[in-house]
Amino acid sequence: MKADNGSVTDTRKTSYHTCNLCEAMCGIAIETDGEQILSIKGDKNDPFSRGHICPKATALQDLYEDPERLTKPLEKTEHGWTTISWDEAFDKVVSRIQRIQAQYGKDAVATYLGNPNVHNTGGMLYGRHLLHTLNTKNMYSATSVDQLPHHIVASKLFGHMLKIPVPDIDRTDFFLMLGANPVASNGSLMTVADVKTRLKDIQKKGGKVVVVDPRRTETAELADQHYFIKPGTDALLMLAMLYVIFESSLLDAKATSLMSNEIEGIQEDVLNYSPERVAPIVGIDAVEIRRLTYQFTEAKRPVCYGRMGTSVQAFGTLTQYLITVFNLLLGRVDKVGGLMFSSPAIDLMNLTSRGGFDRNRSRIRNLPDFNSEFPVSTLAEEILTPGEGQIKALLVAGGNPILSTPNGEQLDKALGELEFMVSVDFYLTETSRHADFILPPVSPLERDHYDLAFNMLAIRNVAKFSPALFKAPKHAKQDWEIYCALTERLLKKAPLKQRLQLKLTEALGVRGQLDLLLRTGRYGNKLNPFKGLSLKKLLNNPHGVDLGPLQPQLPKSLRTKSKCVELNRDFFMKDLHRIEKTYFSEASQYDQTDKLLLIGRRHVRSNNSWLHNSHRLVKGKSRCTVMINPQDTQRLNLEDGQLVDVTSTVGNIQLSLEVTDHIMPGVVSIPHGWGHTKTGSRWTKAEQHSGQSVNALTDDSQVDELSGNAVLNGVPVTVRAASDPKDSLTLKAFQKAPKKKTKKKSVSTENI
Ligand SMILES: Nc1nc2c(c(=O)[nH]1)N[C@H]1C(S)=C(S)[C@@H](COP(=O)(O)OP(=O)(O)OC[C@H]3O[C@@H](n4cnc5c(=O)[nH]c(N)nc54)[C@H](O)[C@@H]3O)O[C@H]1N2
Ligand SMILES: Nc1nc2c(c(=O)[nH]1)N[C@H]1C(S)=C(S)[C@@H](COP(=O)(O)OP(=O)(O)OC[C@H]3O[C@@H](n4cnc5c(=O)[nH]c(N)nc54)[C@H](O)[C@@H]3O)O[C@H]1N2
Ligand code: SF4
Ligand SMILES: [Mo]
């Protein structure tokens, strides 16, 4: 950098941080010159990620520099979006919320929290105060398009929704993986950086990686075995594998002593599902199902793990249950190389509820709540259906549900009907364009970071604190400051005690709270504040601190009342009725030959719906295509590159075909998070690479009945040559503007 007198001063420095974009917690080394980012590289000295990063890390720079990233509060007015002061924005938002709650009741105001909230330290620490103060039954989040089944299984079997065991990837010798593609996603409910190397290391040590997936994914490509499976049928596969375990008496007798006395019942349940019976439905030979089970039991340290593809489908909860039971019965839970529990420096289990299920039912569809949230599949109808308890206002924080939840087009319509909406987001997205106010927080590099959520799920115990790389501008606010400002105003007339409590936690700030939690956590020293883990210790170790491999900890750490693993057979296995009805009854519709089954797909250069404004991440050929097998294109008389109509029960989109034998015959795959086609959003590059939203096809009326989780995989669709492009959602010009408000108030962005 040139100083005023013309001499060259060295203002370059390298800072260490954690990338918070996905679950992998990669350490990054960021070289800066003043406010300028020069490079973002992997931090070789980070004990967890060992120098690994993926292409998304550099998008942190794009995000920071993006001129379209919002930095000031916006109000939608007759003249378009207008910037206003924070105080004015907070006052107006709170007064609108209070008016609506006074007129229609507390539940008339709903909340939706998106995925980035769990990547946000301040948001996690302070968001709950706002939710508590709003005191509404209508809370929603991305959990119910994601990991809800895992929480239900964890809370029922192990006693806490966050007591989710993760595969001990570094020490297993047989990794059986269903419905996950960590080579693209970098792992989920398995926080693991550098996953590709770690998978290859299993093989180098003589072990095996086996993938079960309707697509030969990037992960399947490096696996030793890959099985195509018909989408949505994993529960049947797991039932058959359990059948083989009982048939051949392969149970681990010692492990069964940890569990409630329900194993005989489970044996009875699975007796009906021989490999021979399920094979034609699942699409894997009975001989192979048996072979796979024996391979697993013959390995020294095997583990079975299932993710998105097995969580967000019609039998997601039953499948996650059966996967856990399979590991349990073979003594693979809490064992080195199996499914293990973390011992994080800050244990969120001490700060959150264990996860109450079915305490409330949703108004329209009578769906159960979990952890005080209703399934997001029911959000649109709760807004659109008049009557007592109707949702009139919505707060969306860090979410883009129009692109990320089923039947997004219906939700788009519903958000246009709201009396009031506020978004906490730094982009003008397909969702936030409906808001009356947008409150934009700082970007990730302008705030401190400690990974509260993903250390709970990490494959190694570590702790790392990343101070904000840049000091946020004076006028800027972090998510937690926005939450607190709203809460304070909402509490204006509350008892003094309540207001003081909030003030006190606010005064502690993120750093103060973290320090307290670290010192009182399992690696802190309560007697001697100079010893043990503290914030200061983490500040002195900018690459992070390694706290060792995962340790066996059962039954001591179980949070169940009985202090044993409560199998809750009745709750989960009652879903076998639905299995029978769906696959084995006369009325069964599973084999509709005219329908293809739609599944999702992730790419390493994408992150749900919101990194498409980074040039580096979207450049190149469009990735938003329909993958289809050559057998199907032959049958349907279609060809590679052709524009097709994909039609489901709820919608129709047009996309190009990508013919590949990497996908199972009878299955098509479309990635989610695309469809930046709506007028009024403002992320130009994303719009230039708009793609189409797969969630215009997924059906909000179809949920996994046990949990209410969305069904985003295994969705029946038809594919045919494109008709008139005007019929589809392809062209932005044909898009309707958001219904009510934006017709009156233009969404011009000139004033921003
Ligand atoms: N068909 C299909 N649909 C899916 C999936 C699928 O596999 N298939 N996956 C599902 C899954 S797993 C998930 S998690 C959901 C994600 O669903 P959502 O969480 O609803 O959506 P995101 O695309 O993550 O949008 C995040 C929004 O938050 C904003 N944002 C980013 N960082 C911050 C921040 O720090 N603070 C605030 N306030 N805002 C921020 C972004 O600008 C963006 O608008 O999508 C789900 N939808
Ligand atoms: N690059 C990138 N990384 C991400 C994200 C992203 O959007 N992009 N999102 C992040 C988020 S929010 C999450 S939750 C995680 C998810 O991380 P993962 O769980 O690894 O998710 P996916 O990559 O969607 O992998 C799901 C796999 O399931 C397969 N599948 C679909 N249906 C079925 C089925 O019925 N049975 C079986 N056995 N398989 C099926 C799909 O073909 C796909 O390969 O990724 C995170 N990381
Ligand atoms: S894998 Fe990529 S996006 Fe995920 S934490 Fe690492 S660098 Fe960030
Ligand atoms: Mo997710």
Side-chain angles (χ1 to χ4, degrees):
M1 179 190 263
K2 249 192 178 163
D4 287 347
N5 61 7
S7 66
V8 176
T9 58
D10 194 9
T11 48
R12 287 178 180 221
K13 64 169 186 175
T14 301
S15 314
Y16 301 97
H17 210 82
T18 300
C19 172
N20 73 329
L21 292 174
C22 83
E23 301 179 30
M25 299 197 309
C26 293
I28 47 178
I30 311 178
E31 202 191 350
T32 51
D33 186 351
E35 293 289 283
Q36 179 88 32
I37 296 173
L38 302 176
S39 70
I40 299 182
K41 295 194 176 119
D43 176 6
K44 291 197 178 64
N45 296 317
D46 183 303
F48 190 67
S49 59
R50 315 177 300 199
H52 174 266
I53 50 166
C54 84
K56 283 187 295 298
T58 49
L60 285 169
Q61 175 176 3
D62 299 347
L63 187 61
Y64 176 66
E65 292 170 355
D66 191 343
E68 288 182 321
R69 181 169 58 81
L70 308 174
T71 55
K72 292 182 185 137
L74 296 180
E75 179 179 13
K76 192 184 276 164
T77 70
E78 301 289 322
H79 316 289
W81 288 105
T82 310
T83 54
I84 55 170
S85 74
W86 281 106
D87 276 336
E88 203 185 344
F90 292 142
D91 287 342
K92 285 184 171 172
V93 167
V94 167
S95 111
R96 294 287 296 273
I97 288 176
Q98 283 177 326
R99 242 188 295 153
I100 286 172
Q101 286 197 318
Q103 189 177 349
Y104 304 104
K106 294 268 185 200
D107 301 335
V109 174
T111 56
Y112 173 85
L113 262 55
N115 167 279
N117 284 281
V118 288
H119 297 265
N120 190 316
T121 320
M124 297 231 11
L125 290 171
Y126 289 92
R128 58 205 168 110
H129 298 295
L130 177 58
L131 295 179
H132 184 74
T133 306
L134 284 171
N135 192 17
T136 167
K137 250 180 12 195
N138 276 310
M139 298 204 286
Y140 302 82
S141 81
T143 292
S144 49
V145 281
D146 193 347
Q147 80 287 4
L148 178 56
H150 301 251
H151 289 313
I152 294 179
V153 171
S155 94
K156 292 218 178 260
L157 271 65
F158 306 121
H160 197 289
M161 61 180 268
L162 297 178
K163 198 150 188 63
I164 297 173
V166 297
D168 185 15
I169 187 172
D170 287 342
R171 294 180 289 182
T172 186
D173 64 350
F174 191 89
F175 195 163
L176 172 58
M177 193 186 308
L178 291 81
N181 185 15
V183 172
S185 71
N186 288 296
S188 183
L189 299 189
M190 168 176 71
T191 282
V192 50
D194 200 10
V195 68
K196 200 169 173 179
T197 308
R198 290 182 201 258
L199 289 172
K200 285 184 175 164
D201 283 347
I202 297 175
Q203 297 170 318
K204 273 192 201 148
K205 288 185 268 180
K208 277 198 160 63
V209 177
V210 180
V211 171
V212 179
D213 196 304
R215 180 163 80 86
R216 192 155 74 242
T217 59
E218 297 80 351
T219 309
E221 287 285 359
L222 74 72
D224 299 272
Q225 285 160 232
H226 166 236
Y227 297 94
F228 278 144
I229 185 167
K230 186 151 176 170
T233 66
D234 301 80
L236 286 169
L237 173 65
M238 292 316 301
L239 285 163
M241 289 177 69
L242 281 162
Y243 175 100
V244 178
I245 301 287
F246 284 111
E247 179 190 55
S248 305
S249 305
L250 296 167
L251 268 75
D252 181 299
K254 252 202 278 168
T256 54
S257 65
L258 257 185
M259 292 170 249
S260 57
N261 197 10
E262 293 167 276
I263 297 170
E264 272 177 30
I266 291 178
Q267 178 168 12
E268 267 169 46
D269 293 331
V270 306
L271 221 63
N272 217 356
Y273 300 94
S274 67
E276 289 69 22
R277 184 169 183 237
V278 307
I281 299 167
V282 170
I284 303 176
D285 278 354
V287 176
E288 283 299 322
I289 296 176
R290 286 177 191 280
R291 182 168 92 98
L292 186 56
T293 316
Y294 294 137
Q295 273 186 312
F296 191 96
T297 55
E298 281 158 16
K300 265 204 189 112
R301 293 184 303 277
V303 68
C304 176
Y305 153 85
R307 210 22 209 122
M308 272 308 276
T310 52
S311 321
V312 192
Q313 50 137 298
F315 292 98
T317 309
L318 181 61
T319 306
Q320 291 312 328
Y321 176 68
L322 294 170
I323 289 173
T324 311
V325 168
F326 184 77
N327 283 297
L328 277 166
L329 294 185
L330 291 172
R332 298 312 304 149
V333 175
D334 198 44
K335 292 284 167 58
V336 167
L339 284 182
M340 295 191 82
F341 299 98
S342 65
S343 307
I346 296 177
D347 198 334
L348 279 188
M349 277 190 269
N350 300 331
L351 301 179
T352 52
S353 103
R354 56 202 297 260
F357 180 66
D358 204 3
R359 291 184 179 156
N360 264 312
R361 288 274 168 157
S362 67
R363 180 178 64 114
I364 305 299
R365 222 188 304 168
N366 201 33
L367 292 175
D369 72 336
F370 178 77
N371 191 32
S372 306
E373 288 177 5
F374 288 125
V376 72
S377 292
T378 188
L379 174 59
E381 65 196 6
E382 292 288 340
I383 298 171
L384 290 169
T385 317
E388 180 86 25
Q390 184 184 8
I391 294 172
K392 297 284 185 180
L394 177 68
L395 170 114
V396 177
N400 194 3
I402 286 186
L403 295 193
S404 54
T405 66
N407 201 354
E409 290 301 307
Q410 179 185 236
L411 187 63
D412 189 30
K413 195 169 135 227
L415 299 195
E417 302 281 326
L418 287 167
E419 282 189 21
F420 179 67
M421 179 173 150
V422 53
S423 269
V424 183
D425 203 306
F426 42 57
Y427 278 115
L428 192 37
T429 70
E430 294 70 25
T431 299
S432 65
R433 80 196 213 286
H434 282 288
D436 297 274
F437 292 87
I438 303 179
L439 309 175
V442 298
S443 76
L445 297 178
E446 295 164 294
R447 60 179 201 235
D448 294 341
H449 184 71
Y450 177 94
D451 228 306
L452 286 166
F454 296 105
N455 274 305
M456 299 290 297
L457 301 161
I459 55 107
R460 216 179 151 81
N461 298 312
V462 288
K464 178 169 167 179
F465 177 76
S466 311
L469 177 72
F470 298 120
K471 205 168 174 298
K474 233 185 173 166
H475 62 79
K477 297 244 180 274
Q478 299 188 36
D479 290 79
W480 74 272
E481 292 171 308
I482 296 171
Y483 294 156
C484 285
L486 293 173
T487 314
E488 261 179 42
R489 282 166 173 79
L490 284 164
L491 285 177
K492 221 167 203 162
K493 291 191 189 134
L496 184 68
K497 195 174 148 209
Q498 213 177 339
R499 282 181 287 141
L500 280 177
Q501 266 169 353
L502 180 71
K503 275 274 172 226
L504 209 70
T505 41
E506 248 187 283
L508 268 179
V510 170
R511 288 191 183 203
Q513 285 215 47
L514 284 176
D515 192 38
L516 196 66
L517 291 166
L518 287 166
R519 284 175 193 279
T520 52
R522 53 165 64 79
Y523 305 97
N525 188 325
K526 282 145 210 135
L527 301 176
N528 185 347
F530 299 104
K531 287 194 178 156
L533 207 57
S534 63
L535 187 69
K536 191 164 169 217
K537 185 153 183 193
L538 293 187
L539 280 163
N540 289 336
N541 288 275
H543 306 288
V545 176
D546 186 23
L547 300 166
L550 305 186
Q551 300 292 342
Q553 48 174 261
L554 294 195
K556 203 170 153 230
S557 74
L558 285 171
R559 300 239 171 175
T560 49
K561 282 205 187 95
S562 62
K563 276 285 169 193
C564 70
V565 177
E566 293 177 1
L567 289 171
N568 275 285
R569 170 196 168 213
D570 289 350
F571 173 78
F572 293 101
M573 290 300 208
K574 67 173 181 249
D575 215 20
L576 293 180
H577 286 292
R578 197 161 57 100
I579 287 270
E580 287 296 317
K581 206 169 114 203
T582 308
Y583 293 112
F584 300 104
S585 74
E586 271 179 31
S588 166
Q589 300 207 327
Y590 88 91
D591 206 12
Q592 301 174 0
T593 39
D594 61 322
K595 291 278 193 296
L596 294 154
L597 292 178
L598 170 68
I599 60 167
R601 164 165 111 238
R602 283 177 161 78
H603 189 281
V604 73
R605 281 195 287 123
S606 199
N607 192 29
N608 297 326
S609 77
W610 68 278
L611 282 183
H612 298 148
N613 218 36
S614 158
H615 169 67
R616 294 182 242 230
L617 295 187
V618 288
K619 69 183 177 201
K621 243 173 47 185
S622 167
R623 300 194 301 266
C624 190
T625 58
V626 188
M627 280 188 179
I628 189 165
N629 186 279
Q631 284 184 27
D632 291 313
T633 42
Q634 245 170 29
R635 184 169 58 86
L636 298 167
N637 204 13
L638 299 166
E639 57 188 54
D640 190 42
Q642 181 172 356
L643 197 66
V644 288
D645 277 320
V646 188
T647 309
S648 72
T649 42
V650 302
N652 165 44
I653 58 174
Q654 283 190 348
L655 282 171
S656 299
L657 277 187
E658 185 177 340
V659 181
T660 167
D661 64 3
H662 285 199
I663 193 129
M664 186 180 183
V667 180
V668 289
S669 160
I670 302 176
H672 76 286
W674 300 93
H676 307 291
T677 55
K678 307 279 182 195
T679 30
S681 58
R682 183 182 184 241
W683 31 18
T684 312
K685 285 186 206 87
E687 287 158 29
Q688 283 161 358
H689 299 264
S690 67
Q692 290 296 318
S693 175
V694 69
N695 286 321
L697 299 174
T698 53
D699 186 340
D700 58 304
S701 73
Q702 302 297 310
V703 293
D704 167 15
E705 280 178 21
L706 268 192
S707 60
N709 207 32
V711 177
L712 305 176
N713 290 297
V715 176
V717 294
T718 53
V719 174
R720 58 181 164 79
S723 49
D724 184 350
K726 288 190 201 100
D727 291 345
S728 82
L729 306 170
T730 314
L731 301 172
K732 188 163 177 159
F734 293 110
Q735 283 292 295
K736 281 193 199 124
K739 215 176 158 185
K740 201 177 51 185
K741 291 172 195 118
T742 39
K743 236 192 252 167
K744 269 194 283 152
K745 305 173 194 169
S746 94
V747 285
S748 116
T749 48
E750 277 156 36
N751 296 332
I752 301 174

mmCIF file of all heavy atoms in Angstrom, residues 491 494-507:
data_model
loop_
_atom_site.group_PDB
_atom_site.id
_atom_site.type_symbol
_atom_site.label_atom_id
_atom_site.label_comp_id
_atom_site.label_asym_id
_atom_site.label_seq_id
_atom_site.Cartn_x
_atom_site.Cartn_y
_atom_site.Cartn_z
ATOM 1 N N LEU A 491 -40.043 -5.764 24.336
ATOM 2 C CA LEU A 491 -40.161 -5.928 25.794
ATOM 3 C C LEU A 491 -40.366 -4.611 26.536
ATOM 4 O O LEU A 491 -40.347 -4.587 27.761
ATOM 5 C CB LEU A 491 -38.887 -6.595 26.342
ATOM 6 C CG LEU A 491 -38.704 -8.095 26.102
ATOM 7 C CD1 LEU A 491 -37.371 -8.561 26.657
ATOM 8 C CD2 LEU A 491 -39.843 -8.890 26.738
ATOM 9 N N ALA A 494 -42.497 -4.813 29.357
ATOM 10 C CA ALA A 494 -42.366 -6.031 30.172
ATOM 11 C C ALA A 494 -41.801 -5.675 31.537
ATOM 12 O O ALA A 494 -41.235 -4.592 31.726
ATOM 13 C CB ALA A 494 -41.434 -7.008 29.468
ATOM 14 N N PRO A 495 -41.928 -6.591 32.530
ATOM 15 C CA PRO A 495 -41.391 -6.319 33.859
ATOM 16 C C PRO A 495 -39.886 -6.019 33.786
ATOM 17 O O PRO A 495 -39.170 -6.576 32.946
ATOM 18 C CB PRO A 495 -41.633 -7.627 34.614
ATOM 19 C CG PRO A 495 -42.686 -8.344 33.844
ATOM 20 C CD PRO A 495 -42.606 -7.878 32.440
ATOM 21 N N LEU A 496 -39.450 -5.177 34.711
ATOM 22 C CA LEU A 496 -38.075 -4.705 34.741
ATOM 23 C C LEU A 496 -37.081 -5.880 34.751
ATOM 24 O O LEU A 496 -36.068 -5.875 34.063
ATOM 25 C CB LEU A 496 -37.876 -3.829 35.981
ATOM 26 C CG LEU A 496 -36.498 -3.184 36.110
ATOM 27 C CD1 LEU A 496 -36.292 -2.144 35.016
ATOM 28 C CD2 LEU A 496 -36.309 -2.558 37.488
ATOM 29 N N LYS A 497 -37.436 -6.916 35.507
ATOM 30 C CA LYS A 497 -36.528 -8.066 35.655
ATOM 31 C C LYS A 497 -36.197 -8.672 34.285
ATOM 32 O O LYS A 497 -35.044 -8.962 33.961
ATOM 33 C CB LYS A 497 -37.199 -9.107 36.557
ATOM 34 C CG LYS A 497 -36.234 -10.145 37.067
ATOM 35 C CD LYS A 497 -36.921 -11.061 38.064
ATOM 36 C CE LYS A 497 -36.285 -12.438 37.949
ATOM 37 N NZ LYS A 497 -37.174 -13.515 38.276
ATOM 38 N N GLN A 498 -37.245 -8.829 33.502
ATOM 39 C CA GLN A 498 -37.068 -9.437 32.180
ATOM 40 C C GLN A 498 -36.167 -8.561 31.295
ATOM 41 O O GLN A 498 -35.306 -9.052 30.582
ATOM 42 C CB GLN A 498 -38.451 -9.569 31.535
ATOM 43 C CG GLN A 498 -38.583 -10.775 30.657
ATOM 44 C CD GLN A 498 -40.006 -10.882 30.097
ATOM 45 O OE1 GLN A 498 -40.955 -10.311 30.650
ATOM 46 N NE2 GLN A 498 -40.142 -11.599 29.006
ATOM 47 N N ARG A 499 -36.382 -7.252 31.393
ATOM 48 C CA ARG A 499 -35.588 -6.328 30.561
ATOM 49 C C ARG A 499 -34.132 -6.322 31.011
ATOM 50 O O ARG A 499 -33.211 -6.270 30.207
ATOM 51 C CB ARG A 499 -36.194 -4.923 30.606
ATOM 52 C CG ARG A 499 -37.432 -4.829 29.705
ATOM 53 C CD ARG A 499 -38.031 -3.467 29.706
ATOM 54 N NE ARG A 499 -38.726 -3.193 30.963
ATOM 55 C CZ ARG A 499 -38.722 -2.030 31.587
ATOM 56 N NH1 ARG A 499 -38.052 -1.018 31.084
ATOM 57 N NH2 ARG A 499 -39.390 -1.868 32.707
ATOM 58 N N LEU A 500 -33.953 -6.398 32.341
ATOM 59 C CA LEU A 500 -32.582 -6.398 32.860
ATOM 60 C C LEU A 500 -31.822 -7.648 32.454
ATOM 61 O O LEU A 500 -30.642 -7.606 32.115
ATOM 62 C CB LEU A 500 -32.596 -6.275 34.391
ATOM 63 C CG LEU A 500 -32.792 -4.854 34.907
ATOM 64 C CD1 LEU A 500 -32.860 -4.856 36.433
ATOM 65 C CD2 LEU A 500 -31.659 -3.926 34.439
ATOM 66 N N GLN A 501 -32.556 -8.763 32.484
ATOM 67 C CA GLN A 501 -31.919 -10.033 32.081
ATOM 68 C C GLN A 501 -31.369 -9.926 30.666
ATOM 69 O O GLN A 501 -30.247 -10.332 30.374
ATOM 70 C CB GLN A 501 -32.933 -11.172 32.131
ATOM 71 C CG GLN A 501 -32.905 -11.917 33.441
ATOM 72 C CD GLN A 501 -34.080 -12.871 33.585
ATOM 73 O OE1 GLN A 501 -34.991 -12.892 32.754
ATOM 74 N NE2 GLN A 501 -34.072 -13.629 34.655
ATOM 75 N N LEU A 502 -32.176 -9.371 29.780
ATOM 76 C CA LEU A 502 -31.737 -9.232 28.392
ATOM 77 C C LEU A 502 -30.529 -8.295 28.313
ATOM 78 O O LEU A 502 -29.538 -8.583 27.644
ATOM 79 C CB LEU A 502 -32.884 -8.708 27.518
ATOM 80 C CG LEU A 502 -32.502 -8.534 26.053
ATOM 81 C CD1 LEU A 502 -32.325 -9.884 25.364
ATOM 82 C CD2 LEU A 502 -33.558 -7.727 25.287
ATOM 83 N N LYS A 503 -30.620 -7.178 29.027
ATOM 84 C CA LYS A 503 -29.522 -6.191 29.028
ATOM 85 C C LYS A 503 -28.205 -6.845 29.478
ATOM 86 O O LYS A 503 -27.137 -6.584 28.928
ATOM 87 C CB LYS A 503 -29.856 -5.040 29.979
ATOM 88 C CG LYS A 503 -30.696 -3.972 29.332
ATOM 89 C CD LYS A 503 -29.815 -2.974 28.603
ATOM 90 C CE LYS A 503 -30.616 -1.993 27.782
ATOM 91 N NZ LYS A 503 -30.110 -1.775 26.447
ATOM 92 N N LEU A 504 -28.348 -7.687 30.492
ATOM 93 C CA LEU A 504 -27.170 -8.344 31.046
ATOM 94 C C LEU A 504 -26.507 -9.266 30.023
ATOM 95 O O LEU A 504 -25.285 -9.213 29.816
ATOM 96 C CB LEU A 504 -27.593 -9.145 32.281
ATOM 97 C CG LEU A 504 -26.548 -9.329 33.356
ATOM 98 C CD1 LEU A 504 -26.274 -8.007 34.055
ATOM 99 C CD2 LEU A 504 -27.033 -10.370 34.371
ATOM 100 N N THR A 505 -27.313 -10.106 29.374
ATOM 101 C CA THR A 505 -26.720 -11.014 28.377
ATOM 102 C C THR A 505 -26.193 -10.208 27.194
ATOM 103 O O THR A 505 -25.171 -10.552 26.608
ATOM 104 C CB THR A 505 -27.715 -12.065 27.832
ATOM 105 O OG1 THR A 505 -28.952 -11.437 27.629
ATOM 106 C CG2 THR A 505 -27.873 -13.238 28.747
ATOM 107 N N GLU A 506 -26.890 -9.136 26.878
ATOM 108 C CA GLU A 506 -26.408 -8.276 25.783
ATOM 109 C C GLU A 506 -25.056 -7.671 26.127
ATOM 110 O O GLU A 506 -24.157 -7.597 25.290
ATOM 111 C CB GLU A 506 -27.408 -7.136 25.578
ATOM 112 C CG GLU A 506 -28.155 -7.218 24.278
ATOM 113 C CD GLU A 506 -28.992 -5.979 24.093
ATOM 114 O OE1 GLU A 506 -30.061 -5.872 24.732
ATOM 115 O OE2 GLU A 506 -28.583 -5.107 23.342
ATOM 116 N N ALA A 507 -24.927 -7.251 27.381
ATOM 117 C CA ALA A 507 -23.673 -6.627 27.805
ATOM 118 C C ALA A 507 -22.515 -7.624 27.738
ATOM 119 O O ALA A 507 -21.382 -7.263 27.442
ATOM 120 C CB ALA A 507 -23.819 -6.082 29.226
#
